[in-house]
Amino acid sequence: MPHVERGMKVGLFGGSFNPPHAGHVLVSEIALRRLGLDQIWWMVSPGNPLKDHSDLEALEARVTASNSMVEDPRVKVTAFEAVYGLRYTAETLDFLKRHNPGIHFVWVMGADNLASFHRWQDWRGIAQTFPIAVIDRPGSTLSYLSAPMAKVFSRHRLDESDARRLPTAHAPAWTFIHGPRSTLSSTAIRKARASRTQGKKPETDKMP
């Protein structure tokens, strides 16, 4: 895990990063600025249990690609979940809470994940472990009203004007942050790559 000092405010941005892209960078920039974070960790997961792994790049390749995207020294790329055999977010957050006393962690996720958050293992437990910052994504702006998690924890939502209070708030606490949105997605990038590969004609032998 990246080095931290007691009292730091740290964002936890988990995902497959398959592949990482500028949209991930944008979410990180917004979280760092609006939440007043000291660091944000890109937690490159071994694989999302809710997703198909057939086109999942090797973990080492995703970590390398993520590091190549990062320029801000406050963004730390880590794959500690694989090292410690942590598969579910609930397990990861419990592990971090036990091993990092005095650190103010915030779970950071895109609004596109909010709609399916109730399908995550022990999602209520996740919401009660650390505060959650939901960053707006195209097509998901109204999820803070309609998502099951948003409804269950509606009275614990902080107005985004108070976002800087979130890292030190007691869970459950969450906020929805509007801002610039990127249309990029890892799924779309993979599909575009696959389409280009399938569209290529096989090379023929060339005369010397």
Side-chain angles (χ1 to χ4, degrees):
M1 287 181 286
H3 175 73
V4 287
E5 301 286 347
R6 181 175 289 271
M8 278 188 170
K9 301 172 183 177
V10 178
L12 303 171
F13 188 23
S16 300
F17 296 92
N18 184 44
H21 53 74
H24 294 127
V25 175
L26 179 60
V27 167
S28 300
E29 291 174 347
I30 292 172
L32 284 164
R33 183 177 68 255
R34 298 289 297 276
L35 300 173
L37 301 177
D38 297 298
Q39 295 180 7
I40 185 165
W41 297 359
W42 283 19
M43 302 191 308
V44 185
S45 71
N48 187 329
L50 295 178
K51 294 183 178 179
D52 178 13
H53 294 178
S54 60
D55 59 355
L56 184 66
E57 290 284 342
L59 180 61
E60 183 178 358
R62 289 181 284 127
V63 169
T64 299
S66 295
N67 275 311
S68 71
M69 293 287 301
V70 171
E71 296 182 357
D72 191 321
R74 294 174 296 175
V75 180
K76 312 293 184 180
V77 177
T78 176
F80 73 87
E81 289 175 298
V83 175
Y84 292 101
L86 303 168
R87 188 179 180 196
Y88 295 98
T89 299
E91 296 175 335
T92 298
L93 300 193
D94 179 66
F95 178 89
L96 289 172
K97 189 171 186 176
R98 288 186 285 109
H99 288 81
N100 294 277
I103 305 301
H104 302 292
F105 286 113
V106 180
W107 180 254
V108 177
M109 65 180 180
D112 49 332
N113 283 319
L114 184 59
S116 61
F117 187 74
H118 62 287
R119 295 176 55 206
W120 296 19
Q121 185 182 74
D122 193 18
W123 64 277
R124 293 173 186 263
I126 293 172
Q128 293 169 343
T129 302
F130 293 136
I132 297 174
V134 182
I135 312 299
D136 199 6
R137 290 276 291 153
S140 302
T141 300
L142 297 180
S143 61
Y144 75 98
L145 296 174
S146 60
M149 178 274 193
K151 292 179 178 179
V152 171
F153 293 99
S154 60
R155 68 187 183 91
H156 298 286
R157 181 166 69 89
L158 275 66
D159 187 88
E160 66 177 300
S161 62
D162 291 325
R164 280 183 171 262
R165 291 177 44 217
L166 188 69
T168 55
H170 292 290
W174 68 285
T175 193
F176 190 100
I177 298 177
H178 297 82
R181 296 174 297 176
S182 170
T183 58
L184 291 173
S185 77
S186 296
T187 300
I189 292 173
R190 292 196 304 273
K191 287 182 178 178
R193 287 178 177 175
S195 178
R196 287 196 298 269
T197 300
Q198 293 170 1
K200 288 183 178 179
K201 296 180 179 180
E203 292 186 4
T204 56
D205 292 336
K206 297 179 180 179
M207 296 293 291

Short mmCIF file of all heavy atoms in Angstrom, two decimals, residues 160-190:
data_model
loop_
_atom_site.label_atom_id
_atom_site.label_comp_id
_atom_site.label_asym_id
_atom_site.label_seq_id
_atom_site.Cartn_x
_atom_site.Cartn_y
_atom_site.Cartn_z
N GLU A 160 -23.20 18.94 -2.19
CA GLU A 160 -21.85 18.98 -2.75
C GLU A 160 -21.10 20.25 -2.38
O GLU A 160 -19.86 20.29 -2.45
CB GLU A 160 -21.87 18.79 -4.26
CG GLU A 160 -22.53 19.86 -5.07
CD GLU A 160 -22.42 19.56 -6.56
OE1 GLU A 160 -21.27 19.47 -7.08
OE2 GLU A 160 -23.45 19.39 -7.20
N SER A 161 -21.80 21.29 -1.96
CA SER A 161 -21.12 22.50 -1.49
C SER A 161 -20.35 22.23 -0.20
O SER A 161 -19.46 22.99 0.17
CB SER A 161 -22.14 23.62 -1.27
OG SER A 161 -23.07 23.27 -0.25
N ASP A 162 -20.70 21.13 0.48
CA ASP A 162 -20.01 20.74 1.71
C ASP A 162 -19.07 19.56 1.48
O ASP A 162 -18.70 18.86 2.42
CB ASP A 162 -21.04 20.36 2.79
CG ASP A 162 -21.83 21.54 3.29
OD1 ASP A 162 -21.26 22.64 3.37
OD2 ASP A 162 -23.02 21.36 3.60
N ALA A 163 -18.69 19.33 0.23
CA ALA A 163 -17.90 18.14 -0.12
C ALA A 163 -16.59 18.04 0.67
O ALA A 163 -16.15 16.93 0.99
CB ALA A 163 -17.60 18.14 -1.61
N ARG A 164 -16.00 19.15 1.01
CA ARG A 164 -14.73 19.10 1.75
C ARG A 164 -14.90 18.56 3.17
O ARG A 164 -13.91 18.19 3.80
CB ARG A 164 -14.07 20.48 1.78
CG ARG A 164 -13.34 20.81 0.49
CD ARG A 164 -12.62 22.13 0.54
NE ARG A 164 -11.78 22.29 -0.63
CZ ARG A 164 -10.47 22.04 -0.68
NH1 ARG A 164 -9.85 21.62 0.42
NH2 ARG A 164 -9.78 22.21 -1.77
N ARG A 165 -16.11 18.53 3.65
CA ARG A 165 -16.37 17.96 4.96
C ARG A 165 -16.45 16.44 4.93
O ARG A 165 -16.36 15.77 5.96
CB ARG A 165 -17.70 18.49 5.52
CG ARG A 165 -17.70 19.96 5.91
CD ARG A 165 -19.09 20.38 6.37
NE ARG A 165 -19.68 19.37 7.27
CZ ARG A 165 -20.96 19.05 7.28
NH1 ARG A 165 -21.82 19.64 6.45
NH2 ARG A 165 -21.42 18.15 8.14
N LEU A 166 -16.64 15.88 3.73
CA LEU A 166 -16.90 14.45 3.60
C LEU A 166 -15.79 13.56 4.16
O LEU A 166 -16.09 12.60 4.88
CB LEU A 166 -17.17 14.09 2.13
CG LEU A 166 -17.65 12.65 1.91
CD1 LEU A 166 -19.07 12.46 2.46
CD2 LEU A 166 -17.63 12.30 0.42
N PRO A 167 -14.49 13.81 3.86
CA PRO A 167 -13.45 12.89 4.33
C PRO A 167 -13.43 12.70 5.86
O PRO A 167 -13.04 11.63 6.33
CB PRO A 167 -12.16 13.54 3.84
CG PRO A 167 -12.58 14.31 2.62
CD PRO A 167 -13.93 14.85 2.98
N THR A 168 -13.82 13.70 6.60
CA THR A 168 -13.78 13.57 8.06
C THR A 168 -15.16 13.29 8.66
O THR A 168 -15.32 13.26 9.88
CB THR A 168 -13.21 14.85 8.69
OG1 THR A 168 -13.95 16.00 8.25
CG2 THR A 168 -11.75 15.03 8.30
N ALA A 169 -16.16 13.10 7.81
CA ALA A 169 -17.51 12.79 8.29
C ALA A 169 -17.58 11.34 8.73
O ALA A 169 -16.84 10.48 8.24
CB ALA A 169 -18.53 13.07 7.20
N HIS A 170 -18.49 11.03 9.65
CA HIS A 170 -18.69 9.66 10.09
C HIS A 170 -19.63 8.95 9.12
O HIS A 170 -20.69 9.47 8.78
CB HIS A 170 -19.27 9.63 11.51
CG HIS A 170 -18.33 10.12 12.57
ND1 HIS A 170 -17.21 9.41 12.95
CD2 HIS A 170 -18.34 11.25 13.32
CE1 HIS A 170 -16.57 10.08 13.90
NE2 HIS A 170 -17.23 11.20 14.13
N ALA A 171 -19.21 7.76 8.68
CA ALA A 171 -20.07 6.97 7.79
C ALA A 171 -21.27 6.45 8.58
O ALA A 171 -21.16 6.18 9.77
CB ALA A 171 -19.27 5.82 7.20
N PRO A 172 -22.44 6.33 7.91
CA PRO A 172 -22.66 6.60 6.48
C PRO A 172 -22.75 8.09 6.18
O PRO A 172 -23.41 8.83 6.90
CB PRO A 172 -23.99 5.90 6.22
CG PRO A 172 -24.71 5.94 7.54
CD PRO A 172 -23.65 5.79 8.57
N ALA A 173 -22.07 8.47 5.13
CA ALA A 173 -22.13 9.84 4.62
C ALA A 173 -21.69 9.79 3.17
O ALA A 173 -20.77 9.05 2.81
CB ALA A 173 -21.20 10.76 5.42
N TRP A 174 -22.36 10.53 2.31
CA TRP A 174 -22.00 10.52 0.90
C TRP A 174 -22.41 11.82 0.25
O TRP A 174 -23.22 12.58 0.78
CB TRP A 174 -22.62 9.33 0.18
CG TRP A 174 -24.11 9.36 0.03
CD1 TRP A 174 -25.04 9.12 1.01
CD2 TRP A 174 -24.86 9.64 -1.16
NE1 TRP A 174 -26.31 9.24 0.52
CE2 TRP A 174 -26.24 9.55 -0.82
CE3 TRP A 174 -24.50 9.95 -2.47
CZ2 TRP A 174 -27.25 9.77 -1.76
CZ3 TRP A 174 -25.51 10.16 -3.40
CH2 TRP A 174 -26.86 10.06 -3.04
N THR A 175 -21.81 12.07 -0.90
CA THR A 175 -22.17 13.25 -1.68
C THR A 175 -22.06 12.93 -3.16
O THR A 175 -21.35 12.00 -3.56
CB THR A 175 -21.28 14.45 -1.32
OG1 THR A 175 -21.83 15.65 -1.86
CG2 THR A 175 -19.86 14.29 -1.87
N PHE A 176 -22.80 13.70 -3.95
CA PHE A 176 -22.76 13.56 -5.41
C PHE A 176 -22.14 14.84 -5.96
O PHE A 176 -22.64 15.94 -5.69
CB PHE A 176 -24.17 13.37 -5.97
CG PHE A 176 -24.22 12.99 -7.42
CD1 PHE A 176 -24.41 11.66 -7.79
CD2 PHE A 176 -24.07 13.94 -8.42
CE1 PHE A 176 -24.46 11.30 -9.14
CE2 PHE A 176 -24.10 13.60 -9.76
CZ PHE A 176 -24.30 12.27 -10.12
N ILE A 177 -21.06 14.69 -6.72
CA ILE A 177 -20.32 15.86 -7.21
C ILE A 177 -20.50 16.01 -8.71
O ILE A 177 -20.16 15.11 -9.49
CB ILE A 177 -18.83 15.74 -6.86
CG1 ILE A 177 -18.65 15.71 -5.33
CG2 ILE A 177 -18.04 16.90 -7.46
CD1 ILE A 177 -17.22 15.52 -4.88
N HIS A 178 -21.06 17.14 -9.12
CA HIS A 178 -21.19 17.46 -10.54
C HIS A 178 -19.91 18.13 -11.03
O HIS A 178 -19.16 18.72 -10.24
CB HIS A 178 -22.38 18.40 -10.77
CG HIS A 178 -23.71 17.81 -10.39
ND1 HIS A 178 -24.17 17.79 -9.08
CD2 HIS A 178 -24.67 17.21 -11.14
CE1 HIS A 178 -25.36 17.21 -9.05
NE2 HIS A 178 -25.69 16.85 -10.28
N GLY A 179 -19.68 18.06 -12.30
CA GLY A 179 -18.50 18.68 -12.87
C GLY A 179 -18.28 18.23 -14.29
O GLY A 179 -19.16 17.61 -14.90
N PRO A 180 -17.09 18.52 -14.85
CA PRO A 180 -16.79 18.07 -16.21
C PRO A 180 -16.92 16.56 -16.29
O PRO A 180 -16.57 15.84 -15.36
CB PRO A 180 -15.32 18.50 -16.40
CG PRO A 180 -15.11 19.59 -15.41
CD PRO A 180 -15.97 19.26 -14.23
N ARG A 181 -17.45 16.08 -17.43
CA ARG A 181 -17.67 14.65 -17.60
C ARG A 181 -16.98 14.15 -18.86
O ARG A 181 -17.03 14.80 -19.89
CB ARG A 181 -19.16 14.34 -17.67
CG ARG A 181 -19.92 14.68 -16.39
CD ARG A 181 -21.42 14.49 -16.57
NE ARG A 181 -21.95 15.42 -17.57
CZ ARG A 181 -23.23 15.42 -17.98
NH1 ARG A 181 -24.08 14.54 -17.50
NH2 ARG A 181 -23.63 16.30 -18.88
N SER A 182 -16.36 13.00 -18.75
CA SER A 182 -15.71 12.38 -19.91
C SER A 182 -16.60 11.27 -20.44
O SER A 182 -17.16 10.49 -19.68
CB SER A 182 -14.35 11.80 -19.50
OG SER A 182 -13.81 11.01 -20.54
N THR A 183 -16.71 11.20 -21.76
CA THR A 183 -17.53 10.14 -22.38
C THR A 183 -16.73 8.86 -22.57
O THR A 183 -17.28 7.85 -23.01
CB THR A 183 -18.05 10.61 -23.75
OG1 THR A 183 -16.93 10.97 -24.59
CG2 THR A 183 -18.97 11.82 -23.60
N LEU A 184 -15.46 8.88 -22.22
CA LEU A 184 -14.63 7.70 -22.39
C LEU A 184 -15.06 6.61 -21.41
O LEU A 184 -15.48 6.88 -20.29
CB LEU A 184 -13.16 8.03 -22.14
CG LEU A 184 -12.46 8.92 -23.18
CD1 LEU A 184 -11.08 9.29 -22.69
CD2 LEU A 184 -12.38 8.19 -24.51
N SER A 185 -14.94 5.36 -21.84
CA SER A 185 -15.18 4.22 -20.96
C SER A 185 -14.27 3.08 -21.39
O SER A 185 -13.95 2.94 -22.57
CB SER A 185 -16.64 3.78 -21.01
OG SER A 185 -16.91 3.04 -22.18
N SER A 186 -13.85 2.29 -20.42
CA SER A 186 -12.98 1.15 -20.73
C SER A 186 -13.66 0.17 -21.67
O SER A 186 -13.04 -0.38 -22.58
CB SER A 186 -12.57 0.43 -19.43
OG SER A 186 -11.80 1.28 -18.61
N THR A 187 -14.97 -0.04 -21.46
CA THR A 187 -15.72 -0.98 -22.31
C THR A 187 -15.71 -0.52 -23.76
O THR A 187 -15.46 -1.31 -24.68
CB THR A 187 -17.17 -1.10 -21.82
OG1 THR A 187 -17.17 -1.57 -20.47
CG2 THR A 187 -17.96 -2.06 -22.69
N ALA A 188 -15.97 0.77 -23.98
CA ALA A 188 -16.00 1.31 -25.34
C ALA A 188 -14.62 1.21 -26.00
O ALA A 188 -14.50 0.90 -27.20
CB ALA A 188 -16.47 2.76 -25.32
N ILE A 189 -13.57 1.47 -25.22
CA ILE A 189 -12.21 1.39 -25.76
C ILE A 189 -11.89 -0.04 -26.18
O ILE A 189 -11.32 -0.27 -27.26
CB ILE A 189 -11.19 1.90 -24.72
CG1 ILE A 189 -11.37 3.41 -24.51
CG2 ILE A 189 -9.76 1.61 -25.18
CD1 ILE A 189 -10.53 3.97 -23.38
N ARG A 190 -12.27 -1.02 -25.34
CA ARG A 190 -12.01 -2.42 -25.69
C ARG A 190 -12.76 -2.82 -26.95
O ARG A 190 -12.23 -3.53 -27.81
CB ARG A 190 -12.39 -3.34 -24.52
CG ARG A 190 -11.50 -3.21 -23.30
CD ARG A 190 -11.69 -4.40 -22.36
NE ARG A 190 -13.07 -4.58 -21.95
CZ ARG A 190 -13.64 -3.96 -20.91
NH1 ARG A 190 -12.94 -3.10 -20.19
NH2 ARG A 190 -14.89 -4.20 -20.57
#
